[in-house]
Amino acid sequence: METDDVPLDDKAKRMRDLLSSFYAPDPSSTDNAPSNPGTLDAINTTSFDADQYMNLLIQKSNLEALLQRHVEMAAEIKNIDTDLQMLVYENYNKFISATDAIKRMKTNIVGMEANMEQLLDKIMSVQSKSDGVNTSLFEKRERVEKLHRTRNLLRKVQFIYDLPTRLEKCIEAEAYVDAVKFYTGAMPIFKAYGDSSFQDCKQASEEAIAVIVKNLQGKLFSDSESIQARAEAAVLLKQLDFPVDSLQVKLLEKLEQSLGDLQLKTNDIENASMESNDPKQGKVSDSVHITAHEGSVRGFAEAISAYRVIFPESEEQLIKLVQDVVVKHFETTEQYVKGRISSANLMCVLRTIWTDVLLMDEVLSEAVLPVFSLEAAQIALKQHVASTFNYLLQDISDALLRVTVSSKEAAEEHSLQVALEASKKAVLQGSMDVLLDFRQLLDDDLQLLVQLRDFIIDWVQEGFQDFFRALYDRFLLLSGRNSSSRQDQGLTGAHGEKVLAGLVLVLAQLSVFIEQTVIPRITEEIAASFSGGGARGYENGPAFVPGVICRIFRSAGERLLHHYINMRTQKVSTLLRKRFTTPNWVKHKEPREVHMFVDLFLQELKESASEVKQILPQGLARKHWRSDSNGSTASSRSNQLRDDKMTRSNTQRARSQLLETHLAKLFKQKVEIFTKVEYTQESVVTTTVKLCLKSLQEFVRLQTFNRSGFQQIQLDIQFLRTPLKETVEDEAAVDFLLDEVIVAASERCLDPIPLEPPILDRLIQAKLAKWKEQNPISP
Amino acid sequence: MQGGSSGIGYGLKYQARCISDVKADTDHTSFITGTLSLREENEVHLIRLSSGGTELICEGLFSHPNEIWDLASCPFDQRIFSTVFSTGESYGAAIWQIPELYGQLNSPQLERIASLDAHVGKINCVLWWPSGRHDKLISIDDENLFLWALDCSKKAAQVQSKQSSGMLHYLSGGAWDPHDINAVATTCESSVQFWDLRTMKKTNAIEHAHIHNANYDMKKNHILVTAEDESGIHIWDTRKPKSPIQELPGHTHWTWAVTCNPEYDGLILSAGTDSTVNLWMAPTSVEDEAITESIAESPAQQADPLLNSYSDYEDSVYGLAWSSREPWIFASLSYDGRVVVESIKPFLSRK
């Protein structure tokens, strides 16, 4: 309509609109362009408001335009008047032509009634004539029908009497189908009259049928007969109302018995695969095993297909049977998987199963065996992955535990190192082996595995994630058990304690190794051959998150390292506690020699150092600490101040100098005692020494000394200075701490007069001499 | 973590170990502290936080005859406190009363109400029942636990009962259960022991080594927090002494003191010889037990229990006290005699 509008002039358009509005049932539908009353175009709408229109017009237009509008409107009104007239005329015309048409119709109908009556008479006469014909022929037809019935009856009687001979003939010709057909045809008659007129006949035919049944049964059970024939026999037997079900059951039992032969013998498979690894002789026996198995499966499959043809409605039982076979297969597999096997062996098993499944699927696709076995294989593979990781975990902890045992027995110098190497290898090599192993699963083109590819990838990734978590837990357990046993053992189990402390150190270093080497390698490897997956959905992200594992092991490494240091310092702590709580310091005698706790202390440090030396790498350079410790700038200053203080401490420490020491501390760089521990020999030893010295200081602060006690401390500390500096990288901090101990002792001393330097020297020299005497080899 | 410049400082003249909240002072946030100087004249400082909370004012300065190893304010009388002191060779413990102050600060003498002089060995601490008025006192020395009946008006204290801790148990300190007037925990080298004061019998023990300090949770019954040398802080349920409910890492060196916030659940403050004070938030619900055991499982999910570490100390921190009047304020005392009062308000919002 819209398109039409364009060529039409204004007038014609309005005409049409008006006409259509007249005829249209719904007046509202006509105004197809509902315009709001606020514009001048609203004149043609139903909602036209004359006053508003006027107002609008007057507002919008000037006089000239108004005049023009007036003229236009007058013209338009005239136009509308003529349009109206024309419409009336047109309507009138149409009405006249309609009355004409009605008139014509009326004249045409008038002559029809007479014709109709004529037609009715003719039809009546035709009907009476046909009735006459019918009655004259009725008698003859009745007779013909009667004769026909008699003849049929006679023929049936004849058939019954002939039946036994006919059956005999059929048996001779082995045309059992016909025989059964005849017999079943005659059955209703036998049933009705068998006891009276046809008795003989019935007996004879029943005998014949018995023979047939026997023959058919024989046929059914004989494997030599063709399947078709056997199936036919079954059908016929059924038609004869023979109890087929029992037969079916019997046959099924037979099938089930043959299942026994089908059992997978994992031993065989294992042997086979073992041998097949051995290229020389393996091939033959392998193929022999496989073919033997395959043969029996093939036989089974054939039997099933036969059975299925024979008893088409027994599908369900067969499906169950076949699924049983598969279930049993997988049960054996699961048992097998529980043991420690390689993926190659597993694959071998799976391959065999898959061939079986395919064979059976050919004959019984309704059992959806592939799907079924996929599910089962999924479970088996999952178990395999899980158990593989379990064994890996077991291997690693075995490696670690062997360490403790062996080093306990042999007490070899490098046992810890060996342990670390062994466990490192166990972790890395083990994981790589596992990956390689699983790779085989992926690379194989066995359909079963191909379909499970994504799952396998996910499992492997998940497996690694869980494996490392478990490994972390194991680490904590190993170190945690140490801590508890340490408490139980106390001082008596010092030897075992040492080994365990070493183990913690090994664990710490191993954690670092895992974080820095193993995880990246595994990530790489997984990215290379285990990418994809995604069967578990992307919202979960990839199953193996190396970042998380790295974080876990980084923190584990730190924790274990701290734990090691703690264990070490704790031992020293016990030593120091004994040293400081036992004697009465207020009544201490004059120092005669360096106290033996110093020896014990140094010995502890030496032990620790030897452990650390085996496990941890050397720091990049001595004095490495300066670059990353906050106290770097002030090291020289603090040294100088220390010297200052030393001179003071040796000359006039008699009075309280709290303020002085405070001031000194304020001006001195706060020595970083507790810096971050690094995985270097120096860092660990230094931290241990620092912590021990801090403990020493705290113990001193808890006591009150007389002059001799203070001097004893002074002597011991002075003696410690040299050997400690040799072992430690952060000399400034250690110096500071040693000074602190002396300061603390002087503060806690009733009469702090230090030893004269010459005496101090002499006593230290004496001790050194004695020391050299005792340990002539040691440096 | 942060510079720690937020704290308000106050300097003592000498080294010091102990600080106590003056609980009975309900009008002001006050702390009392005493110095530990072997050879100088020791002082007891009564410190008050100014009403604006911006500075610490010395409200009273009293001389004390000997160096103070332990100091505790009476929970019901702000003028009474106890000290454990040492001459270097011998130990003593006494209850003191601060004389009425008439504006003068020039070292008036403390009035000794009673001296707890039944001890022979090294006295470790004197305990007041933390929850209110109670006329009993407990003092602990190396080997014995004494229960005293204190009569402030008569200015006398008498031994009511005494119990030896038994051989090989050198007591180091103790804590009085705020929920049970008859239960006291004592720490010794290898365990925490629990005593029933009515019978003076040991009721229970937690076997755990090297505990320095123990503190009962003021809000929750049966919860005891201990501080140890190396292994940090343990939170125990006294009904389950086999293993701690929770473990916090503690300090780099010894964790010396630990104290539970009197108002906010799970807030724990610890002071260590690594010159820091750490503010901890122990997860409160029981389910967290499982979480703590498997921190490894989700280190990211597990919120760091350490809320803040105040490290602006020059020496080991031994003294630590929450203000009971304004429980978001605590005072800490480092060995160099520096009192620092901090507000933990910035961390409360994280609760």
Side-chain angles (χ1 to χ4, degrees):
Chain A
M1 202 164 182
E2 224 98 24
T3 49
D4 287 351
D5 281 353
V6 184
L8 286 177
D9 58 320
D10 230 15
K11 191 177 157 193
K13 181 182 172 222
R14 196 159 61 209
M15 277 288 286
R16 257 179 57 175
D17 284 353
L18 283 169
L19 266 174
S20 63
S21 79
F22 183 75
Y23 288 108
D26 183 10
S28 68
S29 65
T30 52
D31 39 14
N32 44 6
S35 49
N36 65 48
T39 65
L40 291 177
D41 302 327
I43 197 162
N44 281 340
T45 60
T46 48
S47 58
F48 173 61
D49 184 348
D51 293 336
Q52 202 185 1
Y53 184 78
M54 272 312 286
N55 287 339
L56 206 62
L57 202 62
I58 290 166
Q59 273 171 16
K60 280 197 176 170
S61 340
N62 54 12
L63 181 62
E64 204 176 332
L66 275 176
L67 280 173
Q68 201 185 339
R69 187 80 185 135
H70 168 74
V71 175
E72 272 173 22
M73 271 187 140
E76 275 177 16
I77 291 167
K78 237 173 233 165
N79 277 344
I80 291 172
D81 280 346
T82 52
D83 287 351
L84 214 60
Q85 249 170 349
M86 270 178 66
L87 274 174
V88 172
Y89 286 142
E90 255 171 51
N91 267 350
Y92 189 65
N93 271 340
K94 280 176 185 165
F95 179 69
I96 286 173
S97 63
T99 35
D100 284 353
I102 292 168
K103 250 181 212 160
R104 257 200 319 278
M105 271 166 68
K106 209 177 171 187
T107 50
N108 285 348
I109 286 171
V110 172
M112 243 156 126
E113 206 162 319
N115 287 347
M116 281 292 168
E117 273 168 11
Q118 229 174 341
L119 189 65
L120 190 68
D121 285 350
K122 278 175 185 163
I123 290 169
M124 295 287 265
S125 71
V126 167
Q127 195 181 2
S128 63
K129 275 170 189 159
S130 108
D131 281 355
V133 171
N134 247 359
T135 43
S136 57
L137 285 180
F138 180 74
E139 226 169 283
K140 278 180 186 164
R141 198 172 61 205
E142 200 109 297
R143 223 177 116 74
V144 169
E145 274 173 9
K146 205 175 176 181
L147 281 173
H148 183 73
R149 271 203 298 273
T150 324
R151 184 172 160 267
N152 268 355
L153 197 66
L154 281 173
R155 203 187 271 167
K156 273 183 191 164
V157 172
Q158 177 69 36
F159 174 76
I160 299 285
Y161 278 116
D162 283 354
L163 189 63
T165 41
R166 233 183 248 234
L167 289 178
E168 293 290 332
K169 261 183 205 160
C170 283
I171 291 169
E172 268 168 38
E174 292 197 345
Y176 300 116
V177 185
D178 291 338
V180 171
K181 204 163 81 193
F182 295 146
Y183 181 70
T184 44
M187 268 314 268
I189 298 171
F190 280 141
K191 259 186 193 151
Y193 309 105
D195 300 334
S196 52
S197 37
F198 297 117
Q199 204 168 9
D200 296 343
C201 244
K202 190 190 172 194
Q203 263 173 13
S205 43
E206 268 175 357
E207 274 162 22
I209 284 297
V211 174
I212 290 175
V213 165
K214 217 164 113 194
N215 287 355
L216 283 178
Q217 277 193 37
K219 214 172 178 185
L220 188 60
F221 281 108
S222 81
D223 290 337
S224 55
E225 288 289 337
S226 75
I227 294 162
Q228 202 63 35
R230 290 166 70 187
E232 264 171 26
V235 171
L236 292 178
L237 279 174
K238 210 171 168 192
Q239 281 178 8
L240 287 176
D241 282 346
F242 193 79
V244 189
D245 289 348
S246 66
L247 289 178
Q248 193 174 344
V249 171
K250 258 188 214 163
L251 260 184
L252 206 62
E253 273 169 8
K254 211 169 142 193
L255 272 179
E256 273 167 7
Q257 277 171 5
S258 67
L259 277 189
D261 307 337
L262 291 182
Q263 274 310 318
L264 262 189
K265 288 175 190 78
T266 42
N267 283 342
D268 290 352
I269 292 165
E270 203 165 352
N271 290 341
S273 55
M274 295 264 274
E275 282 160 11
S276 67
N277 291 341
D278 186 10
K280 270 185 188 171
Q281 51 151 26
K283 284 288 171 207
V284 186
S285 64
D286 180 17
S287 53
V288 165
H289 277 293
I290 297 281
T291 46
H293 182 74
E294 213 176 290
S296 57
V297 171
R298 209 178 286 278
F300 180 65
E302 269 164 21
I304 281 178
S305 74
Y307 187 84
R308 194 165 160 230
V309 175
I310 296 166
F311 302 109
E313 70 275 27
S314 61
E315 234 168 54
E316 269 178 37
Q317 282 159 298
L318 280 179
I319 288 173
K320 209 171 145 257
L321 194 70
V322 174
Q323 285 180 346
D324 270 358
V325 175
V326 177
V327 164
K328 269 189 193 137
H329 275 15
F330 277 105
E331 270 170 11
T332 2
T333 317
E334 274 167 30
Q335 283 300 325
Y336 185 47
V337 158
K338 274 184 196 153
R340 187 166 200 153
I341 52 159
S342 74
S343 294
N345 287 355
L346 178 69
M347 244 158 59
C348 209
V349 176
L350 286 179
R351 197 189 299 276
T352 320
I353 292 176
W354 188 244
T355 358
D356 293 359
V357 165
L358 284 184
L359 276 174
M360 288 191 273
D361 187 48
E362 268 169 31
V363 297
L364 196 67
S365 55
E366 284 86 350
V368 284
L369 278 184
V371 178
F372 184 74
S373 53
L374 253 185
E375 281 166 14
Q378 203 167 331
I379 296 166
L381 274 172
K382 203 168 178 177
Q383 274 190 358
H384 172 61
V385 172
S387 75
T388 312
F389 278 114
N390 258 338
Y391 280 115
L392 183 57
L393 188 63
Q394 198 57 43
D395 276 354
I396 291 167
S397 47
D398 278 355
L400 284 170
L401 285 178
R402 208 175 306 131
V403 172
T404 58
V405 174
S406 69
S407 61
K408 213 178 242 174
E409 285 163 359
E412 207 178 316
E413 179 66 15
H414 294 288
S415 58
L416 284 178
Q417 197 171 2
V418 171
L420 179 65
E421 289 311 318
S423 45
K424 266 184 183 176
K425 208 176 141 200
V427 173
L428 187 61
Q429 204 55 47
S431 330
M432 285 301 131
D433 284 351
V434 166
L435 273 175
L436 258 178
D437 213 32
F438 290 137
R439 247 320 267 273
Q440 287 183 333
L441 284 181
L442 287 192
D443 291 346
D444 199 79
D445 55 352
L446 187 59
Q447 198 194 346
L448 188 67
L449 293 175
V450 170
Q451 287 185 17
L452 289 175
R453 216 186 133 90
D454 281 358
F455 284 105
I456 295 175
I457 288 171
D458 273 349
W459 291 328
V460 170
Q461 293 202 1
E462 252 172 46
F464 266 111
Q465 186 87 359
D466 294 345
F467 162 69
F468 281 117
R469 289 240 158 104
L471 190 63
Y472 170 71
D473 286 345
R474 188 63 64 96
F475 278 12
L476 285 194
L477 185 75
L478 283 173
S479 62
R481 200 179 59 200
N482 295 346
S483 75
S484 63
S485 67
R486 168 179 45 72
Q487 280 182 359
D488 295 341
Q489 286 171 346
L491 272 176
T492 52
H495 184 66
E497 192 178 333
K498 170 199 151 198
V499 171
L500 291 172
L503 179 63
V504 172
L505 196 61
V506 169
L507 286 175
Q509 187 60 17
L510 195 58
S511 299
V512 176
F513 177 72
I514 287 172
E515 184 216 333
Q516 291 179 346
T517 314
V518 179
I519 304 276
R521 280 275 309 267
I522 288 172
T523 315
E524 227 170 75
E525 199 66 24
I526 282 181
S529 49
F530 288 89
S531 58
R536 61 187 233 141
Y538 282 103
E539 66 271 19
N540 296 328
F544 180 65
V545 194
V548 171
I549 301 291
C550 275
R551 212 164 54 231
I552 287 177
F553 275 95
R554 194 178 312 133
S555 78
E558 277 165 20
R559 275 176 72 168
L560 289 166
L561 197 62
H562 279 290
H563 188 58
Y564 172 75
I565 292 172
N566 273 346
M567 286 170 81
R568 282 281 156 213
T569 46
Q570 212 149 14
K571 277 172 76 177
V572 177
S573 239
T574 337
L575 184 77
L576 294 176
R577 190 190 309 275
K578 274 224 164 125
R579 164 68 180 140
F580 281 97
T581 47
T582 330
N584 188 347
W585 286 99
V586 183
K587 291 173 182 158
H588 202 274
K589 290 198 188 88
E590 252 187 59
R592 298 193 176 278
E593 55 173 9
V594 178
H595 193 267
M596 62 171 289
F597 93 90
V598 173
D599 294 339
L600 294 173
F601 178 41
L602 288 176
Q603 197 185 333
E604 282 291 334
L605 285 182
K606 214 171 107 190
E607 261 178 33
S608 160
S610 88
E611 274 176 11
V612 166
K613 212 174 274 173
Q614 288 179 52
I615 300 300
L616 292 178
Q618 217 156 13
L620 291 177
R622 274 181 94 82
K623 311 301 173 200
H624 171 68
W625 64 278
R626 285 185 203 276
S627 58
D628 58 2
S629 151
N630 296 349
S632 55
T633 51
S635 58
S636 57
R637 190 149 53 102
S638 77
N639 276 339
Q640 183 204 341
L641 270 159
R642 177 174 48 80
D643 294 342
D644 262 9
K645 216 168 66 185
M646 276 310 293
T647 51
R648 259 187 287 124
S649 75
N650 283 339
T651 53
Q652 34 135 346
R653 177 66 70 67
R655 274 175 283 104
S656 160
Q657 355 157 287
L658 186 68
L659 196 65
E660 278 172 61
T661 47
H662 271 200
L663 277 176
K665 264 188 193 169
L666 278 180
F667 284 107
K668 192 165 58 180
Q669 175 75 29
K670 189 174 175 183
V671 172
E672 292 285 319
I673 304 170
F674 306 108
T675 46
K676 193 176 175 325
V677 187
E678 285 162 39
Y679 291 95
T680 58
Q681 299 172 6
E682 291 81 7
S683 175
V684 170
V685 172
T686 308
T687 312
T688 317
V689 170
K690 280 183 191 170
L691 286 176
C692 292
L693 290 180
K694 182 71 188 170
S695 302
L696 183 59
Q697 179 197 5
E698 292 298 333
F699 279 121
V700 165
R701 278 184 179 176
L702 287 173
Q703 302 300 328
T704 309
F705 303 93
N706 65 359
R707 189 202 301 173
S708 306
F710 167 59
Q711 287 176 347
Q712 179 72 54
I713 300 292
Q714 189 200 0
L715 172 64
D716 295 347
I717 297 303
Q718 195 61 37
F719 179 77
L720 271 177
R721 224 174 262 275
T722 332
L724 282 189
K725 270 190 201 167
E726 275 168 13
T727 49
V728 162
E729 63 171 347
D730 189 354
E731 285 178 23
V734 169
D735 252 337
F736 169 78
L737 279 167
L738 288 169
D739 288 344
E740 281 290 296
V741 175
I742 296 181
V743 170
S746 80
E747 279 165 3
R748 295 301 311 156
C749 179
L750 294 164
D751 182 20
I753 296 171
L755 274 178
E756 293 297 320
I759 304 174
L760 199 64
D761 262 359
R762 215 178 55 228
L763 286 171
I764 287 173
Q765 288 308 325
K767 176 72 179 175
L768 276 178
K770 199 170 150 196
W771 216 35
K772 273 190 186 139
E773 205 174 287
Q774 277 172 351
N775 317 318
I777 320 137
S778 67
Chain B
M1 269 195 169
Q2 74 181 57
S5 52
S6 61
I8 308 156
Y10 177 89
L12 302 181
K13 220 161 137 192
Y14 308 114
Q15 287 164 339
R17 273 182 180 269
C18 40
I19 189 164
S20 170
D21 167 46
V22 182
K23 199 173 182 179
D25 186 356
T26 50
D27 303 327
H28 309 278
T29 302
S30 323
F31 298 98
I32 190 163
T33 173
T35 61
L36 178 85
S37 175
L38 200 55
R39 301 183 293 267
E40 308 294 326
E41 190 177 8
N42 285 281
E43 294 163 346
V44 171
H45 289 242
L46 183 63
I47 311 166
R48 178 174 296 169
L49 189 65
S50 68
S51 52
T54 50
E55 58 180 324
L56 286 170
I57 305 159
C58 178
E59 200 56 27
L61 177 66
F62 317 100
S63 65
H64 186 276
N66 297 101
E67 58 170 5
I68 301 168
W69 282 87
D70 179 63
L71 181 144
S73 173
C74 170
F76 52 86
D77 188 336
Q78 55 170 306
R79 287 169 55 215
I80 294 177
F81 64 94
S82 65
T83 60
V84 172
F85 48 86
S86 156
T87 60
E89 288 177 56
S90 64
Y91 277 87
I95 313 296
W96 306 89
Q97 185 168 32
I98 299 169
E100 291 289 347
L101 297 176
Y102 300 106
Q104 80 264 42
L105 282 174
N106 43 348
S107 293
Q109 281 300 309
L110 288 170
E111 186 183 353
R112 186 190 294 234
I113 293 182
S115 68
L116 312 176
D117 46 10
H119 291 278
V120 208
K122 178 190 170 193
I123 305 170
N124 286 305
C125 60
V126 173
L127 302 177
W128 300 80
W129 190 51
S131 297
R133 185 175 282 277
H134 184 53
D135 59 350
K136 301 284 193 292
L137 268 177
I138 289 172
S139 62
I140 296 169
D141 68 17
D142 267 352
E143 285 155 12
N144 298 301
L145 179 73
F146 285 86
L147 181 66
W148 301 81
L150 177 71
D151 193 332
C152 292
S153 52
K154 282 188 194 155
K155 302 194 173 176
Q158 271 174 348
V159 177
Q160 200 156 56
S161 50
K162 168 190 167 180
Q163 179 61 44
S164 161
S165 66
M167 285 301 282
L168 299 173
H169 285 295
Y170 286 104
L171 298 177
S172 60
W176 201 331
D177 190 342
H179 306 282
D180 184 353
I181 208 161
N182 292 312
V184 166
T186 61
T187 60
C188 69
E189 235 166 75
S190 57
S191 65
V192 179
Q193 297 166 327
F194 297 94
W195 304 85
D196 188 325
L197 292 178
R198 288 164 295 197
T199 57
M200 284 311 259
K201 288 277 182 286
K202 209 193 297 184
T203 55
N204 202 355
I206 295 172
E207 295 297 331
H208 202 83
H210 309 318
I211 291 173
H212 275 298
N213 188 246
N215 191 259
Y216 277 101
D217 193 320
M218 292 291 282
K219 303 292 278 185
K220 278 196 289 186
N221 211 344
H222 304 297
I223 300 295
L224 183 75
V225 182
T226 60
E228 286 110 54
D229 276 9
E230 274 87 0
S231 31
I233 300 162
H234 284 103
I235 302 172
W236 305 85
D237 186 325
T238 54
R239 291 159 297 186
K240 289 179 263 177
K242 287 273 173 280
S243 63
I245 301 175
Q246 223 205 336
E247 191 175 338
L248 299 173
H251 289 258
T252 331
H253 196 236
W254 297 351
T255 308
W256 187 266
V258 67
T259 164
C260 299
N261 190 287
E263 195 59 43
Y264 302 105
D265 225 11
L267 267 185
I268 293 170
L269 207 56
S270 68
T273 49
D274 59 350
S275 313
T276 54
V277 171
N278 287 348
L279 180 66
W280 306 91
M281 178 72 223
T284 43
S285 56
V286 187
E287 298 91 74
D288 288 326
E289 227 175 305
I291 296 174
T292 51
E293 273 170 19
S294 57
I295 291 172
E297 288 295 317
S298 51
Q301 288 165 21
Q302 178 86 355
D304 191 356
L306 180 66
L307 290 187
N308 193 26
S309 181
Y310 302 91
S311 55
D312 194 24
Y313 300 93
E314 298 291 334
D315 209 330
S316 308
V317 184
Y318 300 116
L320 201 57
W322 286 105
S323 161
S324 50
R325 186 172 164 269
E326 295 178 280
W328 54 90
I329 281 176
F330 72 86
S332 53
L333 175 64
S334 54
Y335 191 57
D336 53 6
R338 193 173 154 72
V339 179
V340 177
V341 170
E342 300 259 8
S343 165
I344 58 154
K345 264 194 179 151
F347 306 102
L348 283 179
S349 54
R350 286 167 61 176
K351 235 182 104 134

